Amino acid sequence: MERLYKKYVNETVDEKGRLTAITFNRPDDFNFAYDVVDVLAKRSPDKRAMMWVSPDGLEKDITFKDVAENSAKVANYLVKKGIKKGDKVMLVLKRRYEFWYCCIALHKIGAVLIPATHQLMKKDFLYRFLAAGVKGLICTVDDNVHHEAEKAMNEYDGIKVRMTIKKKVEGWDFYDEEVEKESTYFPRPQGDADTRTDDIMLMFFTSGTTGYPKIAAHTFEYPLGHITTAVWWHDVNPDGLHFTIADTGWGKAMWGKLYGQWLAESAVFTYDYDRFNAHDMLSLFEKYGITTFCAPPTIYRMLIKEDISSYNLSYLKHATIAGEALNPEVFKQFYNATGLKLMEGFGQTESTLLIGNLLGTEPKPGSMGKPVPQYEIDLVDENGNTVPAGAEGEIVIRTDK
C-alpha cells in the first residue's frame, strides 16, 4: 500500500535519489486529525504511533487507534464545556502523552492550539492570554505552573475551561475524571463548523529573544509542509521509531514529534524527563530500538562526553541536528563513534524546514545545507539584492517568484 503522505505531494528526484522539486496536492478541507490520524487508525489500528517513557520506567505503547479514540474523548469534553471552532486553547503539558491527545482533539473541533512551556510565570501567561484571547487552558501541575496561571487568571476573565493532568486541583477540572467518561466517537463537524485548509490551526509564541514573544500562526495546511522535514531530512519510515528531543512548549516538537512523522506513518519516541542525563538517554536507544534521531548540538556534545562509543546504537540509522551552529568537531566525533554523518537543518517558528542536508546529499561539516525545494530561498544584501557567490547575506524567502 502506498504511503499515506504521497497522496498529498508530487516529488521529483534526480538519478541519485535526491529531492529536486516538490509540489503539494492541497485539499480545501484538509484536517490532520481526520485525514491522517483517523485514517491510520482505521487502516492500521494496532500500529504504534508513540512509545512514551517516563524516567521512573513507566511505559505507554500508544497506537493510532488509541490516539483517535482518546482525542475524540477530549474533543467531546471540550465541546460540552463550550469550546468551538476558532476558540484558542493553550496546552502546558511538557512531554506528557496527553498533549498529543489534546492536539488532535483541538484539530477535530477546529479550535486553535497554542502550545506553551511550563516555565511561564504570571506575567508570561497574562501576556499570552491577552494577546491571543485564550479561552481554554489544559495544564500540568509540575513545578506548580498552574499557580502562575491562576495568578494571571485573577487579572483575565477570558478562561472558560481549565483542566489539570496528573493531579486534582481545587477549582480545576481533572483530566482523569472528566475526559475518561466521554465517548470515543466524535463525528466530523459539517457545514460552517467544519474546518477549511486556510483556517488557523496553530499559534506559536516565539521565544522573544529580540522583544516580546510574537504570535506565529499556521493554518491547517501546516502539517503538509513537514513532509519534507520528516521524510527527506529525518528519514523516517513506517517501520522506524523517531526520537526528537524537544519540549512540547516549543515549535521543534511539532517539527519532530507529530505532523511529518505521522504523515510518514512513523512512530515517535517520547521521553518525559525533567533533567537531562546522557547515560539515561543513550541507554534508551538500544532498549527501544530508536532508528532516527534529532537534537540540538548541545545535546550531541553531552552525549559525546559520556563516551557514546560504549553504548549500542546499532539500531540508529540516521541523525539530524538543528537549533544552533554545529561545531565541526562535534560532527567528527559523532561520526567516529557511530559512523553516521550529522545532517544539519535550519528553519524558523514561522516556517517548516528551509535549508538542510536532505537525503542523498553529502554534508559539509559546519554547513547547514542547501535550500529545501519547497521554498524560494535567497541571500540578499541590505537593499534586498541577491548577493554574489561567496558573499555574506541575509536569508530570505522569495514570495515574488
Side-chain angles (χ1 to χ4, degrees):
M1 184 180 295
E2 186 175 65
R3 292 172 72 178
L4 177 61
Y5 88 87
K6 287 184 174 291
K7 175 181 178 180
Y8 299 106
V9 293
N10 304 299
E11 300 162 314
T12 302
V13 299
D14 63 15
E15 67 281 357
K16 294 184 179 180
R18 296 173 297 194
L19 183 70
T20 58
I22 185 169
T23 58
F24 294 86
N25 304 319
R26 176 185 176 277
D28 292 335
D29 60 351
F30 177 76
N31 184 309
F32 182 83
Y34 298 110
D35 298 316
V36 179
V37 173
D38 283 4
V39 167
L40 291 174
K42 292 175 183 176
R43 180 193 292 182
S44 307
D46 296 326
K47 187 180 187 325
R48 175 188 284 173
M50 177 188 297
M51 172 56 73
W52 178 90
V53 180
S54 72
D56 54 2
L58 292 177
E59 297 180 348
K60 284 189 75 72
D61 201 343
I62 298 168
T63 67
F64 281 104
K65 181 182 179 183
D66 293 331
V67 178
E69 292 184 346
N70 281 280
S71 62
K73 289 182 177 182
V74 177
N76 280 312
Y77 157 79
L78 289 172
V79 168
K80 285 182 179 179
K81 298 292 286 189
I83 297 298
K84 61 186 183 302
K85 177 183 176 181
D87 287 346
K88 317 301 192 305
V89 178
M90 180 179 289
L91 304 182
V92 186
L93 296 176
K94 301 175 71 176
R95 297 175 178 87
R96 288 285 300 186
Y97 56 85
E98 292 95 339
F99 174 83
W100 283 261
Y101 298 161
C102 292
C103 285
I104 303 306
L106 293 172
H107 297 344
K108 287 183 173 181
I109 298 168
V112 179
L113 160 66
I114 303 178
T117 171
H118 67 286
Q119 297 172 328
L120 299 183
M121 303 301 288
K122 172 200 165 183
K123 64 180 177 60
D124 306 310
F125 274 112
L126 186 58
Y127 171 77
R128 286 161 174 77
F129 290 166
L130 292 167
V134 177
K135 290 189 177 180
L137 173 63
I138 305 176
C139 191
T140 180
V141 296
D142 289 355
D143 303 318
N144 288 317
V145 66
H146 63 294
H147 289 323
E148 297 299 321
E150 286 175 338
K151 294 175 188 176
M153 285 187 277
N154 289 333
E155 300 178 25
Y156 174 82
D157 63 0
I159 300 295
K160 307 305 179 186
V161 183
R162 59 172 81 175
M163 180 167 64
T164 59
I165 64 165
K166 296 177 68 175
K167 180 182 178 182
K168 191 172 182 178
V169 175
E170 184 178 356
W172 296 67
D173 287 351
F174 183 42
Y175 186 101
D176 289 354
E177 291 181 352
E178 301 296 333
V179 171
E180 291 309 315
K181 63 188 179 185
E182 295 293 344
S183 170
T184 59
Y185 174 69
F186 184 84
R188 183 166 188 164
Q190 300 298 310
D192 292 341
D194 195 9
T195 57
R196 310 300 293 173
T197 307
D198 288 335
D199 290 337
I200 298 297
M201 178 193 79
L202 169 68
M203 284 182 175
F204 292 122
F205 276 85
T206 62
S207 56
T209 52
T210 58
Y212 282 110
K214 301 175 182 64
I215 293 175
H218 293 283
T219 67
F220 278 85
E221 187 176 16
Y222 175 73
L224 298 178
H226 279 303
I227 290 173
T228 306
T229 307
V231 174
W232 291 98
W233 183 44
H234 288 158
D235 191 23
V236 305
N237 65 76
D239 297 321
L241 183 60
H242 178 75
F243 184 18
T244 284
I245 293 183
D247 182 270
T248 61
W250 304 108
K252 190 65 170 68
M254 302 306 192
W255 282 49
K257 302 173 84 69
L258 180 54
Y259 296 126
Q261 290 69 35
W262 284 358
L263 267 159
E265 301 166 61
S266 172
V268 294
F269 181 80
T270 299
Y271 184 45
D272 187 23
Y273 69 95
D274 287 313
R275 186 178 298 276
F276 181 86
N277 180 288
H279 167 73
D280 292 346
M281 196 70 68
L282 286 166
S283 299
L284 300 172
F285 283 83
E286 178 180 7
K287 182 175 181 179
Y288 295 100
I290 293 165
T291 56
T292 53
F293 180 56
C294 186
T298 299
I299 296 295
Y300 279 99
R301 285 195 292 270
M302 289 190 285
L303 295 179
I304 290 169
K305 286 182 179 179
E306 180 65 22
D307 186 12
I308 199 171
S309 62
S310 65
Y311 294 83
N312 180 2
L313 302 184
S314 60
Y315 292 101
L316 189 62
K317 304 302 181 187
H318 195 76
T320 48
I321 190 167
E324 56 194 81
L326 170 61
N327 186 313
E329 186 61 25
V330 173
F331 180 99
K332 177 182 177 182
Q333 290 188 38
F334 188 80
Y335 177 74
N336 289 341
T338 66
L340 297 176
K341 297 178 179 179
L342 292 174
M343 307 295 271
E344 193 168 1
F346 166 80
Q348 294 180 287
T349 309
E350 297 85 351
S351 70
T352 57
L353 185 68
L354 297 173
I355 297 170
N357 291 281
L358 302 186
L359 285 180
T361 62
E362 183 63 26
K364 179 181 178 182
S367 168
M368 61 187 182
K370 296 182 178 181
V372 171
Q374 74 194 59
Y375 292 99
E376 289 285 349
I377 303 294
D378 199 2
L379 284 179
V380 301
D381 60 23
E382 64 274 12
N383 297 313
N385 299 313
T386 302
V387 299
E392 291 185 357
E394 296 286 339
I395 299 171
V396 300
I397 302 173
R398 288 287 187 187
T399 59
D400 54 357
K401 292 186 179 181

